[in-house]
Coordinates of all heavy atoms in Angstrom, one line a residue:
M1 N 94.8 112.4 94.6 CA 93.8 112.1 95.6 C 94.3 110.9 96.4 O 94.4 110.9 97.6 CB 92.5 111.7 95.1 CG 91.6 112.9 94.7 SD 91.4 114.1 96.1 CE 90.1 115.1 95.4
A2 N 94.8 109.9 95.7 CA 95.3 108.7 96.4 C 96.5 109.0 97.3 O 96.7 108.5 98.3 CB 95.7 107.6 95.4
Q3 N 97.3 110.0 96.8 CA 98.5 110.3 97.5 C 98.1 111.0 98.8 O 98.7 110.7 99.8 CB 99.3 111.3 96.6 CG 100.8 111.2 96.9 CD 101.6 111.9 95.8 OE1 101.1 112.5 95.0 NE2 102.9 111.7 95.9
S4 N 97.2 112.0 98.8 CA 96.8 112.7 100.0 C 96.1 111.7 101.0 O 96.2 111.8 102.2 CB 96.0 113.9 99.7 OG 94.6 113.5 99.4
D5 N 95.4 110.7 100.4 CA 94.8 109.7 101.3 C 95.8 108.9 102.0 O 95.7 108.7 103.2 CB 94.0 108.7 100.4 CG 92.6 109.1 100.3 OD1 92.2 110.1 100.7 OD2 91.8 108.3 99.7
T6 N 96.9 108.6 101.3 CA 98.0 107.8 101.9 C 98.7 108.7 103.0 O 98.9 108.2 104.2 CB 99.1 107.4 100.9 OG1 98.4 106.7 99.9 CG2 100.2 106.6 101.5
A7 N 98.9 109.9 102.8 CA 99.5 110.9 103.8 C 98.5 110.9 105.0 O 99.0 110.9 106.1 CB 99.7 112.2 103.2
G8 N 97.2 111.0 104.7 CA 96.3 111.1 105.9 C 96.4 109.8 106.7 O 96.3 109.8 107.9
Q9 N 96.4 108.6 106.0 CA 96.5 107.4 106.8 C 97.8 107.3 107.6 O 97.8 106.8 108.7 CB 96.5 106.2 105.8 CG 95.1 106.0 105.1 CD 94.0 105.8 106.2 OE1 94.1 105.0 107.0 NE2 92.9 106.5 106.0
Q10 N 98.9 107.8 107.0 CA 100.2 107.8 107.8 C 100.1 108.7 109.0 O 100.6 108.4 110.1 CB 101.3 108.2 106.9 CG 101.7 107.1 105.8 CD 102.7 107.6 104.8 OE1 103.0 108.8 104.8 NE2 103.3 106.7 104.1
L11 N 99.4 109.8 108.8 CA 99.3 110.7 110.0 C 98.4 110.0 111.0 O 98.8 110.1 112.2 CB 98.6 112.0 109.5 CG 98.2 113.0 110.6 CD1 99.5 113.5 111.2 CD2 97.4 114.2 110.0
L12 N 97.4 109.4 110.7 CA 96.5 108.7 111.6 C 97.3 107.6 112.3 O 97.2 107.4 113.5 CB 95.3 108.1 111.0 CG 94.3 109.1 110.3 CD1 93.1 108.4 109.8 CD2 93.9 110.1 111.3
S13 N 98.2 106.9 111.5 CA 99.0 105.8 112.1 C 99.9 106.3 113.2 O 100.2 105.7 114.2 CB 99.8 105.1 111.0 OG 98.9 104.4 110.2
R14 N 100.5 107.5 112.9 CA 101.4 108.1 113.8 C 100.8 108.5 115.1 O 101.3 108.4 116.2 CB 102.1 109.3 113.2 CG 103.3 108.9 112.3 CD 104.3 110.0 112.3 NE 103.7 111.3 111.9 CZ 103.6 111.7 110.6 NH1 103.9 111.0 109.6 NH2 103.1 112.9 110.4
L15 N 99.5 109.0 115.0 CA 98.8 109.5 116.2 C 98.2 108.4 117.0 O 98.0 108.5 118.2 CB 97.8 110.5 115.7 CG 98.3 111.8 115.2 CD1 97.2 112.6 114.5 CD2 98.9 112.7 116.3
E16 N 97.8 107.3 116.3 CA 97.1 106.2 117.0 C 98.0 105.7 118.2 O 99.2 105.4 118.0 CB 96.9 105.1 116.0 CG 96.0 104.0 116.5 CD 95.8 103.0 115.4 OE1 96.5 102.9 114.5 OE2 94.9 102.2 115.7
G17 N 97.4 105.5 119.3 CA 98.0 105.0 120.5 C 98.7 106.0 121.4 O 99.2 105.7 122.4
R18 N 98.7 107.3 120.9 CA 99.3 108.3 121.7 C 98.4 108.7 122.9 O 97.2 108.4 122.8 CB 99.6 109.6 120.9 CG 100.7 109.4 120.0 CD 101.2 110.8 119.5 NE 102.2 110.8 118.5 CZ 102.7 111.8 118.0 NH1 102.3 113.0 118.3 NH2 103.6 111.7 117.0
K19 N 98.9 109.3 123.9 CA 98.1 109.8 125.0 C 97.4 111.1 124.5 O 97.9 111.9 123.7 CB 99.0 110.2 126.1 CG 99.7 109.0 126.7 CD 99.6 109.0 128.2 CE 100.0 107.6 128.8 NZ 99.7 107.5 130.2
C20 N 96.2 111.2 125.0 CA 95.4 112.3 124.7 C 95.9 113.6 125.3 O 96.4 113.6 126.5 CB 93.9 112.1 125.2 SG 92.8 113.5 125.0
E21 N 95.9 114.7 124.6 CA 96.4 116.0 125.1 C 95.3 116.7 126.0 O 95.6 117.7 126.7 CB 96.8 116.9 124.0 CG 97.9 116.4 123.1 CD 98.1 117.3 121.9 OE1 97.7 118.5 121.9 OE2 98.7 116.8 120.9
F22 N 94.1 116.2 125.9 CA 93.0 117.0 126.5 C 92.5 116.4 127.8 O 91.7 117.0 128.5 CB 91.9 117.1 125.5 CG 92.4 117.8 124.2 CD1 92.7 117.1 123.1 CD2 92.5 119.2 124.2 CE1 93.2 117.7 121.9 CE2 93.0 119.8 123.0 CZ 93.3 119.1 121.9
C23 N 92.9 115.2 128.1 CA 92.4 114.6 129.4 C 93.6 113.7 129.9 O 94.6 113.5 129.2 CB 91.2 113.8 129.2 SG 91.4 112.3 128.2
S24 N 93.5 113.3 131.2 CA 94.7 112.8 131.8 C 95.0 111.3 131.4 O 96.2 111.0 131.3 CB 94.5 112.8 133.3 OG 93.2 112.2 133.7
D25 N 94.0 110.5 131.1 CA 94.4 109.1 130.8 C 93.7 108.5 129.6 O 93.6 107.3 129.5 CB 94.1 108.2 132.0 CG 92.8 108.5 132.7 OD1 91.9 108.9 131.9 OD2 92.6 108.3 133.9
G26 N 93.3 109.4 128.6 CA 92.8 108.9 127.4 C 93.9 108.4 126.4 O 95.0 108.9 126.5
T27 N 93.5 107.5 125.5 CA 94.4 107.0 124.5 C 93.7 107.3 123.2 O 92.5 107.1 123.0 CB 94.7 105.5 124.7 OG1 95.3 105.3 126.0 CG2 95.7 105.1 123.6
L28 N 94.5 107.7 122.2 CA 93.9 108.0 120.9 C 93.7 106.7 120.1 O 94.6 105.9 120.0 CB 94.9 108.9 120.1 CG 95.1 110.3 120.8 CD1 96.1 111.1 120.0 CD2 93.9 111.0 121.1
V29 N 92.5 106.6 119.6 CA 92.2 105.4 118.7 C 91.6 105.9 117.4 O 91.1 107.0 117.3 CB 91.2 104.5 119.4 CG1 91.8 103.9 120.7 CG2 89.9 105.2 119.8
R30 N 91.7 105.1 116.4 CA 91.1 105.4 115.1 C 89.6 105.4 115.2 O 89.0 104.6 115.8 CB 91.5 104.5 114.0 CG 93.0 104.7 113.7 CD 93.2 104.1 112.3 NE 94.6 103.9 112.1 CZ 95.1 103.8 110.9 NH1 94.4 103.9 109.8 NH2 96.4 103.6 110.7
G31 N 89.0 106.4 114.5 CA 87.5 106.4 114.4 C 87.1 107.4 113.3 O 87.9 107.7 112.4
I32 N 85.9 107.8 113.4 CA 85.3 108.6 112.4 C 84.8 109.9 113.1 O 84.1 109.8 114.1 CB 84.1 108.0 111.7 CG1 84.5 106.7 111.0 CG2 83.5 108.9 110.7 CD1 85.5 106.9 109.8
F33 N 85.2 111.1 112.6 CA 84.7 112.3 113.2 C 84.1 113.1 112.1 O 84.7 113.4 111.1 CB 85.9 113.1 113.9 CG 85.4 114.3 114.5 CD1 84.7 114.3 115.7 CD2 85.7 115.6 113.9 CE1 84.3 115.5 116.3 CE2 85.3 116.7 114.5 CZ 84.6 116.7 115.7
K34 N 82.8 113.5 112.2 CA 82.1 114.2 111.2 C 82.2 113.5 109.8 O 82.4 114.2 108.8 CB 82.5 115.7 111.2 CG 82.1 116.4 112.4 CD 82.5 117.9 112.3 CE 82.0 118.6 113.6 NZ 82.4 120.0 113.6
G35 N 82.2 112.2 109.8 CA 82.2 111.5 108.5 C 83.6 111.3 107.9 O 83.7 110.7 106.9
N36 N 84.6 111.8 108.6 CA 86.0 111.7 108.1 C 86.8 110.7 109.0 O 86.6 110.7 110.2 CB 86.7 113.0 108.0 CG 86.0 113.9 107.0 OD1 85.9 113.6 105.8 ND2 85.6 115.1 107.5
A37 N 87.8 110.1 108.4 CA 88.7 109.3 109.2 C 89.4 110.2 110.2 O 89.9 111.3 109.8 CB 89.7 108.6 108.3
A38 N 89.6 109.8 111.4 CA 90.2 110.6 112.4 C 90.8 109.8 113.5 O 90.5 108.6 113.6 CB 89.2 111.6 113.0
V39 N 91.6 110.4 114.4 CA 92.1 109.7 115.6 C 91.4 110.5 116.8 O 91.5 111.6 116.9 CB 93.6 109.7 115.7 CG1 94.1 109.1 116.9 CG2 94.2 109.1 114.4
I40 N 90.7 109.7 117.6 CA 89.8 110.2 118.6 C 90.2 109.7 119.9 O 90.5 108.5 120.1 CB 88.4 109.9 118.3 CG1 88.0 110.4 116.9 CG2 87.4 110.4 119.3 CD1 86.7 109.9 116.4
C41 N 90.2 110.5 121.0 CA 90.4 110.0 122.3 C 89.3 109.1 122.7 O 88.1 109.4 122.6 CB 90.5 111.2 123.3 SG 90.6 110.7 125.0
E42 N 89.6 107.9 123.3 CA 88.6 107.0 123.7 C 87.9 107.4 125.0 O 86.8 106.9 125.3 CB 89.2 105.6 123.9 CG 90.3 105.5 124.9 CD 90.9 104.1 125.0 OE1 90.4 103.2 124.3 OE2 91.9 104.0 125.7
E43 N 88.5 108.4 125.7 CA 87.9 108.8 127.0 C 87.0 110.0 126.7 O 85.9 110.1 127.2 CB 89.0 109.2 127.9 CG 89.8 108.0 128.5 CD 89.0 107.1 129.3 OE1 88.1 107.6 130.0 OE2 89.2 105.9 129.3
C44 N 87.5 111.1 126.0 CA 86.8 112.3 125.9 C 86.3 112.6 124.5 O 85.6 113.6 124.3 CB 87.6 113.5 126.4 SG 89.1 113.8 125.4
D45 N 86.6 111.7 123.5 CA 86.1 111.8 122.2 C 86.6 113.1 121.5 O 85.9 113.5 120.5 CB 84.5 111.8 122.2 CG 84.0 110.4 122.5 OD1 84.6 109.4 122.2 OD2 82.8 110.4 123.0
T46 N 87.7 113.6 121.9 CA 88.2 114.7 121.2 C 89.1 114.3 120.0 O 90.0 113.4 120.2 CB 89.1 115.6 122.2 OG1 88.3 116.0 123.3 CG2 89.7 116.8 121.5
P47 N 88.8 114.8 118.9 CA 89.6 114.3 117.7 C 91.0 115.0 117.7 O 91.1 116.2 117.9 CB 88.8 114.8 116.5 CG 88.0 116.0 117.0 CD 87.7 115.7 118.5
A48 N 92.0 114.2 117.6 CA 93.4 114.7 117.6 C 93.8 115.1 116.2 O 94.6 116.0 116.0 CB 94.4 113.7 118.1
A49 N 93.3 114.5 115.2 CA 93.6 114.8 113.8 C 92.5 114.3 112.9 O 91.8 113.4 113.2 CB 94.9 114.1 113.4
Q50 N 92.4 115.0 111.8 CA 91.4 114.6 110.9 C 92.0 114.5 109.5 O 92.9 115.3 109.2 CB 90.4 115.8 110.8 CG 89.0 115.3 111.1 CD 88.0 116.5 111.1 OE1 88.2 117.5 111.8 NE2 87.1 116.5 110.2
S51 N 91.5 113.6 108.7 CA 92.0 113.4 107.4 C 91.0 114.0 106.4 O 89.9 113.4 106.3 CB 92.3 112.0 107.1 OG 92.7 111.8 105.8
W52 N 91.3 115.0 105.7 CA 90.4 115.6 104.7 C 90.7 115.0 103.4 O 90.2 115.1 102.5 CB 90.5 117.1 104.7 CG 90.0 117.7 106.0 CD1 88.7 118.1 106.2 CD2 90.7 118.1 107.1 NE1 88.6 118.7 107.5 CE2 89.8 118.7 108.0 CE3 92.1 118.0 107.5 CZ2 90.2 119.1 109.3 CZ3 92.4 118.5 108.7 CH2 91.6 119.0 109.6
Ligands
ZN101 ZN1 90.9 112.6 126.0

């Protein structure tokens, strides 16, 4: 469990700060989507990745 948590955190770290794929000028920031850690566009709230 701890290992997959770490992998999830690394995935979020990689995605954080990237440009959103779904809108023109959003940036991905860390947040919570449906109760899980995720990276979400600050403009359109689209989750780019989810950590299960
Ligand atoms: Zn967006």
